[in-house]
Amino acid sequence: KLIGRPATSFIDAIKHQLISVAPILILGSTGEVGSVLTKYMVAKNIPVRLGVRSVGGKSAGPGVEYVRFDWSDTTSHGNCLAGVSAVVIIYPLQKGMVQDFEKFVPALKAANVPHVVKMSAAGMNEVPASFNFEAANDNKTVDAQLLGSGLSVTIVAATFFATVNKRCKGCP
């Protein structure tokens, strides 16, 4: 399920940015979905900038740049965002999401980021507030915050990834 700019897949959501040689910043590139996306983009010769907490010891290949990024350290935001053609955000459903995005959205605007793609989760925006599922409520808040920011935004609300299936062999 996609909210915002029309697209048919996660990759399609960022394809319109691929004409540029400017890198696409991926936040969450070391996670399960982010690492697959990163490998795919590198294989397609799409330049990527990977925001990571610690750059030390990371070797970058052609078209790959590691840059320090920490959600809680706003001084790391500007350097990551400078000159990117798009930002892909894969943020885990965890406490602190709303506060992190309250600090990050102004940085996106200040950097004039052309497009933002945020990974969400299918059904999260339909969970009623009365259900008291904090992650769902925070996710709804952040999605609304991005969509109302004036930025060009695509929210990808995926239901399932093959990487999860691969990890979960034998699951019911």
Side-chain angles (χ1 to χ4, degrees):
K1 180 177 177 183
L2 299 165
I3 305 165
R5 183 184 202 118
T8 56
S9 72
F10 193 63
I11 298 300
D12 286 344
I14 56 175
K15 271 187 180 173
H16 71 281
Q17 297 298 329
L18 303 183
I19 298 165
S20 171
V21 294
I24 295 174
L25 173 63
I26 303 175
L27 302 176
S29 64
T30 60
E32 193 154 1
V33 173
S35 62
V36 172
L37 175 64
T38 299
K39 286 176 189 169
Y40 174 85
M41 294 177 80
V42 169
K44 296 290 184 185
N45 296 314
I46 300 165
V48 293
R49 180 178 296 166
L50 308 176
V52 294
R53 282 187 214 110
S54 175
V55 177
K58 304 240 189 301
S59 62
V64 178
E65 173 190 5
Y66 285 96
V67 63
R68 186 183 167 283
F69 179 85
D70 188 327
W71 285 100
S72 61
D73 180 6
T74 57
T75 64
S76 71
H77 298 178
N79 188 40
C80 281
L81 296 170
V84 299
S85 60
V87 177
V88 176
I89 303 168
I90 306 168
Y91 191 105
L93 294 173
Q94 65 186 23
K95 211 170 185 143
M97 176 187 273
V98 173
Q99 295 78 9
D100 286 344
F101 275 84
E102 284 172 349
K103 294 181 279 186
F104 192 58
V105 170
L108 289 166
K109 289 173 143 184
N112 293 313
V113 172
H115 192 70
V116 177
V117 177
K118 180 193 170 275
M119 177 64 65
S120 191
M124 284 291 161
N125 289 327
E126 285 82 33
V127 175
S130 61
F131 192 68
N132 198 25
F133 181 41
E134 188 176 349
N137 295 334
D138 288 354
N139 195 65
K140 280 195 275 192
T141 300
V142 167
D143 288 356
Q145 184 181 22
L146 279 170
L147 291 169
S149 69
L151 295 163
S152 174
V153 174
T154 301
I155 304 292
V156 180
T159 55
F160 192 73
F161 288 95
T163 58
V164 175
N165 185 42
K166 193 173 181 182
R167 182 187 72 214
C168 192
K169 288 189 187 228
C171 293

